[in-house]
Amino acid sequence: MEVSGIPVEVVRKNIKNLHLAVYPPVGRVRIAVPNRIDDDAVRLAIISKLGWIRKRQAKFNTQDRQTQREYVSGETHYIWGKRYRMRVVMHEGKAQVLLKNKATIHMFIAKVSDRVKREQLMAEWYRAQLKSIISELVSNWQPVIGVKVAGYGVKKMKTKWGSCNISAKHIWLNLELGKKPLHCLEYIVVHEMVHLLERHHNIRFVRLMDKFLPKWKYYREELNRYPLAHEDWEY
């Protein structure tokens, strides 16, 4: 559906209320609507939010973006919210990524490797770093929140920092979180675990978040202020 020149993805679901969202990096608009609501009512709902939609899109358009990474010496990469200078070391041994000090990240890789292979190596390194921290966070928060997480995973996600399969009690975290501060990762882990108590982002959910992680709104704003991923990457 197009409303005032803005393309809107309309998804019909068996839900009670409309849910409108604007997603980075380019301000894609999506609205989830109950099956009972007709297109005219959906259009009116979108029109009533046009000012908010345009404000969100403008924010994404002006937000800093990371340039596409080439994985070469001298390039900078973020790890847990801190910037590191990369040094690529050509060798014939095992390909690996290591933090040698507080300022430099070393990538050991074969001379014939291309950018795609280096990107894959870096992604797997981020994934390993995240999983080790997530495991500890989940264990620490389970008795506090009073829930049991059956499993967790890390993957590239198009529109969210995390998601929760409530029936399976399984949470997913965005691979990009390896670049953000640890307390931002903790906020997302807690957020998804709280969904095991409350499915929706309603008043009860907010009260639970306030109870377990009083500074969660600050962490959310901080997380969303960081540079967006390169625009070619599906966020």
Side-chain angles (χ1 to χ4, degrees):
M1 179 183 295
E2 185 170 307
V3 180
S4 297
I6 299 175
V8 180
E9 178 187 359
V10 180
V11 180
R12 295 191 175 276
K13 293 183 176 182
N14 184 25
I15 55 178
K16 294 182 180 180
N17 302 305
L18 292 95
H19 299 281
L20 180 67
V22 181
Y23 296 113
V26 294
R28 178 174 65 87
V29 183
R30 179 181 184 273
I31 187 169
V33 301
N35 291 320
R36 69 180 187 278
I37 297 181
D38 61 27
D39 285 352
D40 288 340
V42 173
R43 188 177 297 275
L44 286 173
I46 296 169
I47 290 172
S48 70
K49 293 291 186 178
L50 281 176
W52 177 80
I53 291 171
R54 290 193 172 112
K55 184 177 179 180
R56 294 289 293 171
Q57 289 180 329
K59 179 181 178 181
F60 291 138
N61 288 333
T62 58
Q63 189 170 349
D64 291 340
R65 297 180 188 275
Q66 300 172 19
T67 57
Q68 187 174 39
R69 304 288 86 180
E70 298 296 333
Y71 306 95
V72 296
S73 292
E75 192 173 66
T76 58
H77 289 261
Y78 283 93
I79 302 166
W80 303 131
K82 298 179 181 179
R83 182 178 292 183
Y84 288 77
R85 187 76 63 180
M86 173 169 280
R87 182 187 175 196
V88 178
V89 180
M90 306 297 184
H91 80 149
E92 298 304 322
K94 178 183 178 182
Q96 59 182 326
V97 175
L98 296 173
L99 290 180
K100 287 289 187 177
N101 51 50
K102 294 182 179 180
T104 308
I105 180 170
H106 287 63
M107 176 181 284
F108 295 89
I109 198 161
K111 187 175 182 179
V112 295
S113 63
D114 57 15
R115 192 192 70 82
V116 173
K117 289 182 180 179
R118 297 182 187 192
E119 181 180 25
Q120 291 173 344
L121 176 61
M122 195 68 178
E124 288 308 309
W125 183 80
Y126 275 123
R127 193 185 311 278
Q129 302 303 305
L130 279 163
K131 283 189 173 182
S132 65
I133 300 297
I134 294 167
S135 177
E136 182 179 349
L137 288 173
V138 168
S139 295
N140 290 342
W141 278 101
Q142 282 183 145
V144 176
I145 299 174
V147 298
K148 181 69 175 179
V149 176
Y152 59 87
V154 177
K155 63 181 179 179
K156 285 187 176 181
M157 304 178 75
K158 295 182 179 181
T159 60
K160 299 178 180 179
W161 288 115
S163 65
C164 179
N165 184 321
I166 295 172
S167 59
K169 297 185 178 181
H170 190 286
I171 64 174
W172 287 100
L173 287 305
N174 194 319
L175 184 66
E176 285 287 292
L177 286 167
K179 302 175 183 178
K180 314 308 179 186
L182 282 169
H183 56 260
C184 290
L185 169 63
E186 184 171 30
Y187 150 62
I188 297 298
V189 169
V190 173
H191 179 113
E192 300 309 329
M193 291 178 69
V194 168
H195 275 308
L196 296 176
L197 296 177
E198 174 54 58
R199 179 185 297 268
H200 303 291
H201 292 120
N202 53 23
I203 294 176
R204 179 171 181 254
F205 179 87
V206 171
R207 287 175 177 169
L208 287 168
M209 288 297 296
D210 287 341
K211 173 184 176 181
F212 296 127
L213 199 67
K215 296 180 68 175
W216 70 274
K217 291 180 182 177
Y218 170 81
Y219 298 148
R220 180 183 62 186
E221 290 302 314
E222 180 182 2
L223 182 56
N224 291 327
R225 283 198 304 267
Y226 273 86
L228 297 172
H230 185 266
E231 61 183 3
D232 290 340
W233 183 66
E234 287 188 296
Y235 183 59

PDB file of all heavy atoms in Angstrom, residues 96-111:
ATOM      1  N   GLN A  96      42.201 -16.990  11.967  1.00  0.00           N
ATOM      2  CA  GLN A  96      41.606 -16.618  13.248  1.00  0.00           C
ATOM      3  C   GLN A  96      41.696 -15.112  13.473  1.00  0.00           C
ATOM      4  O   GLN A  96      42.466 -14.408  12.812  1.00  0.00           O
ATOM      5  CB  GLN A  96      42.294 -17.349  14.395  1.00  0.00           C
ATOM      6  CG  GLN A  96      43.783 -17.095  14.503  1.00  0.00           C
ATOM      7  CD  GLN A  96      44.414 -17.890  15.640  1.00  0.00           C
ATOM      8  OE1 GLN A  96      43.802 -18.123  16.673  1.00  0.00           O
ATOM      9  NE2 GLN A  96      45.660 -18.315  15.449  1.00  0.00           N
ATOM     10  N   VAL A  97      40.890 -14.647  14.422  1.00  0.00           N
ATOM     11  CA  VAL A  97      40.870 -13.241  14.819  1.00  0.00           C
ATOM     12  C   VAL A  97      41.244 -13.176  16.291  1.00  0.00           C
ATOM     13  O   VAL A  97      40.706 -13.928  17.106  1.00  0.00           O
ATOM     14  CB  VAL A  97      39.488 -12.617  14.585  1.00  0.00           C
ATOM     15  CG1 VAL A  97      39.453 -11.178  15.114  1.00  0.00           C
ATOM     16  CG2 VAL A  97      39.119 -12.648  13.108  1.00  0.00           C
ATOM     17  N   LEU A  98      42.165 -12.271  16.635  1.00  0.00           N
ATOM     18  CA  LEU A  98      42.616 -12.144  18.014  1.00  0.00           C
ATOM     19  C   LEU A  98      42.739 -10.677  18.393  1.00  0.00           C
ATOM     20  O   LEU A  98      43.157  -9.844  17.583  1.00  0.00           O
ATOM     21  CB  LEU A  98      43.985 -12.813  18.197  1.00  0.00           C
ATOM     22  CG  LEU A  98      44.071 -14.328  17.983  1.00  0.00           C
ATOM     23  CD1 LEU A  98      45.525 -14.769  18.046  1.00  0.00           C
ATOM     24  CD2 LEU A  98      43.243 -15.072  19.020  1.00  0.00           C
ATOM     25  N   LEU A  99      42.372 -10.374  19.643  1.00  0.00           N
ATOM     26  CA  LEU A  99      42.630  -9.049  20.192  1.00  0.00           C
ATOM     27  C   LEU A  99      43.996  -9.103  20.864  1.00  0.00           C
ATOM     28  O   LEU A  99      44.179  -9.794  21.862  1.00  0.00           O
ATOM     29  CB  LEU A  99      41.564  -8.665  21.214  1.00  0.00           C
ATOM     30  CG  LEU A  99      40.166  -8.365  20.680  1.00  0.00           C
ATOM     31  CD1 LEU A  99      39.236  -8.012  21.833  1.00  0.00           C
ATOM     32  CD2 LEU A  99      40.186  -7.255  19.665  1.00  0.00           C
ATOM     33  N   LYS A 100      44.956  -8.373  20.317  1.00  0.00           N
ATOM     34  CA  LYS A 100      46.311  -8.418  20.845  1.00  0.00           C
ATOM     35  C   LYS A 100      46.534  -7.416  21.975  1.00  0.00           C
ATOM     36  O   LYS A 100      47.348  -7.607  22.845  1.00  0.00           O
ATOM     37  CB  LYS A 100      47.312  -8.145  19.713  1.00  0.00           C
ATOM     38  CG  LYS A 100      47.474  -9.294  18.738  1.00  0.00           C
ATOM     39  CD  LYS A 100      48.207 -10.455  19.396  1.00  0.00           C
ATOM     40  CE  LYS A 100      48.543 -11.550  18.400  1.00  0.00           C
ATOM     41  NZ  LYS A 100      49.312 -12.645  18.995  1.00  0.00           N
ATOM     42  N   ASN A 101      45.801  -6.316  21.934  1.00  0.00           N
ATOM     43  CA  ASN A 101      45.917  -5.294  22.978  1.00  0.00           C
ATOM     44  C   ASN A 101      44.617  -4.500  23.010  1.00  0.00           C
ATOM     45  O   ASN A 101      43.620  -4.918  22.422  1.00  0.00           O
ATOM     46  CB  ASN A 101      47.138  -4.392  22.719  1.00  0.00           C
ATOM     47  CG  ASN A 101      47.142  -3.842  21.294  1.00  0.00           C
ATOM     48  OD1 ASN A 101      46.144  -3.306  20.838  1.00  0.00           O
ATOM     49  ND2 ASN A 101      48.265  -4.004  20.595  1.00  0.00           N
ATOM     50  N   LYS A 102      44.620  -3.347  23.669  1.00  0.00           N
ATOM     51  CA  LYS A 102      43.398  -2.554  23.821  1.00  0.00           C
ATOM     52  C   LYS A 102      43.088  -1.681  22.606  1.00  0.00           C
ATOM     53  O   LYS A 102      42.093  -0.957  22.614  1.00  0.00           O
ATOM     54  CB  LYS A 102      43.511  -1.669  25.058  1.00  0.00           C
ATOM     55  CG  LYS A 102      43.570  -2.451  26.366  1.00  0.00           C
ATOM     56  CD  LYS A 102      43.632  -1.523  27.555  1.00  0.00           C
ATOM     57  CE  LYS A 102      43.673  -2.309  28.871  1.00  0.00           C
ATOM     58  NZ  LYS A 102      43.725  -1.409  30.051  1.00  0.00           N
ATOM     59  N   ALA A 103      43.926  -1.766  21.568  1.00  0.00           N
ATOM     60  CA  ALA A 103      43.718  -0.891  20.422  1.00  0.00           C
ATOM     61  C   ALA A 103      43.744  -1.610  19.078  1.00  0.00           C
ATOM     62  O   ALA A 103      43.327  -1.040  18.076  1.00  0.00           O
ATOM     63  CB  ALA A 103      44.772   0.221  20.413  1.00  0.00           C
ATOM     64  N   THR A 104      44.224  -2.858  19.057  1.00  0.00           N
ATOM     65  CA  THR A 104      44.448  -3.530  17.777  1.00  0.00           C
ATOM     66  C   THR A 104      43.780  -4.895  17.734  1.00  0.00           C
ATOM     67  O   THR A 104      43.854  -5.671  18.685  1.00  0.00           O
ATOM     68  CB  THR A 104      45.959  -3.712  17.509  1.00  0.00           C
ATOM     69  OG1 THR A 104      46.613  -2.457  17.664  1.00  0.00           O
ATOM     70  CG2 THR A 104      46.198  -4.234  16.101  1.00  0.00           C
ATOM     71  N   ILE A 105      43.156  -5.183  16.606  1.00  0.00           N
ATOM     72  CA  ILE A 105      42.589  -6.500  16.362  1.00  0.00           C
ATOM     73  C   ILE A 105      43.372  -7.123  15.213  1.00  0.00           C
ATOM     74  O   ILE A 105      43.566  -6.502  14.163  1.00  0.00           O
ATOM     75  CB  ILE A 105      41.088  -6.412  16.029  1.00  0.00           C
ATOM     76  CG1 ILE A 105      40.506  -7.803  15.771  1.00  0.00           C
ATOM     77  CG2 ILE A 105      40.807  -5.507  14.841  1.00  0.00           C
ATOM     78  CD1 ILE A 105      38.991  -7.815  15.681  1.00  0.00           C
ATOM     79  N   HIS A 106      43.848  -8.336  15.424  1.00  0.00           N
ATOM     80  CA  HIS A 106      44.658  -9.024  14.421  1.00  0.00           C
ATOM     81  C   HIS A 106      43.819 -10.084  13.709  1.00  0.00           C
ATOM     82  O   HIS A 106      43.146 -10.888  14.354  1.00  0.00           O
ATOM     83  CB  HIS A 106      45.866  -9.704  15.063  1.00  0.00           C
ATOM     84  CG  HIS A 106      46.936  -8.760  15.491  1.00  0.00           C
ATOM     85  ND1 HIS A 106      46.737  -7.795  16.446  1.00  0.00           N
ATOM     86  CD2 HIS A 106      48.231  -8.624  15.073  1.00  0.00           C
ATOM     87  CE1 HIS A 106      47.861  -7.107  16.627  1.00  0.00           C
ATOM     88  NE2 HIS A 106      48.775  -7.598  15.794  1.00  0.00           N
ATOM     89  N   MET A 107      43.892 -10.082  12.391  1.00  0.00           N
ATOM     90  CA  MET A 107      43.261 -11.123  11.593  1.00  0.00           C
ATOM     91  C   MET A 107      44.359 -11.923  10.904  1.00  0.00           C
ATOM     92  O   MET A 107      45.106 -11.389  10.084  1.00  0.00           O
ATOM     93  CB  MET A 107      42.300 -10.531  10.553  1.00  0.00           C
ATOM     94  CG  MET A 107      41.697 -11.592   9.622  1.00  0.00           C
ATOM     95  SD  MET A 107      40.566 -10.908   8.373  1.00  0.00           S
ATOM     96  CE  MET A 107      39.109 -10.604   9.385  1.00  0.00           C
ATOM     97  N   PHE A 108      44.459 -13.187  11.265  1.00  0.00           N
ATOM     98  CA  PHE A 108      45.432 -14.085  10.649  1.00  0.00           C
ATOM     99  C   PHE A 108      44.703 -14.902   9.582  1.00  0.00           C
ATOM    100  O   PHE A 108      43.769 -15.649   9.886  1.00  0.00           O
ATOM    101  CB  PHE A 108      46.036 -15.018  11.703  1.00  0.00           C
ATOM    102  CG  PHE A 108      46.842 -14.301  12.745  1.00  0.00           C
ATOM    103  CD1 PHE A 108      46.236 -13.820  13.902  1.00  0.00           C
ATOM    104  CD2 PHE A 108      48.199 -14.093  12.576  1.00  0.00           C
ATOM    105  CE1 PHE A 108      46.976 -13.158  14.870  1.00  0.00           C
ATOM    106  CE2 PHE A 108      48.953 -13.433  13.546  1.00  0.00           C
ATOM    107  CZ  PHE A 108      48.337 -12.960  14.682  1.00  0.00           C
ATOM    108  N   ILE A 109      45.139 -14.772   8.346  1.00  0.00           N
ATOM    109  CA  ILE A 109      44.403 -15.404   7.257  1.00  0.00           C
ATOM    110  C   ILE A 109      45.325 -15.659   6.074  1.00  0.00           C
ATOM    111  O   ILE A 109      46.376 -15.004   5.925  1.00  0.00           O
ATOM    112  CB  ILE A 109      43.204 -14.530   6.834  1.00  0.00           C
ATOM    113  CG1 ILE A 109      42.186 -15.339   6.029  1.00  0.00           C
ATOM    114  CG2 ILE A 109      43.650 -13.287   6.086  1.00  0.00           C
ATOM    115  CD1 ILE A 109      40.811 -14.720   5.976  1.00  0.00           C
ATOM    116  N   ALA A 110      44.950 -16.611   5.222  1.00  0.00           N
ATOM    117  CA  ALA A 110      45.774 -16.963   4.062  1.00  0.00           C
ATOM    118  C   ALA A 110      45.841 -15.796   3.079  1.00  0.00           C
ATOM    119  O   ALA A 110      44.900 -15.015   2.938  1.00  0.00           O
ATOM    120  CB  ALA A 110      45.197 -18.188   3.368  1.00  0.00           C
ATOM    121  N   LYS A 111      46.941 -15.686   2.390  1.00  0.00           N
ATOM    122  CA  LYS A 111      47.184 -14.591   1.462  1.00  0.00           C
ATOM    123  C   LYS A 111      46.165 -14.549   0.344  1.00  0.00           C
ATOM    124  O   LYS A 111      45.812 -13.487  -0.168  1.00  0.00           O
ATOM    125  CB  LYS A 111      48.599 -14.703   0.894  1.00  0.00           C
ATOM    126  CG  LYS A 111      49.019 -13.532   0.038  1.00  0.00           C
ATOM    127  CD  LYS A 111      50.478 -13.668  -0.397  1.00  0.00           C
ATOM    128  CE  LYS A 111      50.916 -12.461  -1.231  1.00  0.00           C
ATOM    129  NZ  LYS A 111      52.337 -12.588  -1.638  1.00  0.00           N
TER     130      LYS A 111
END
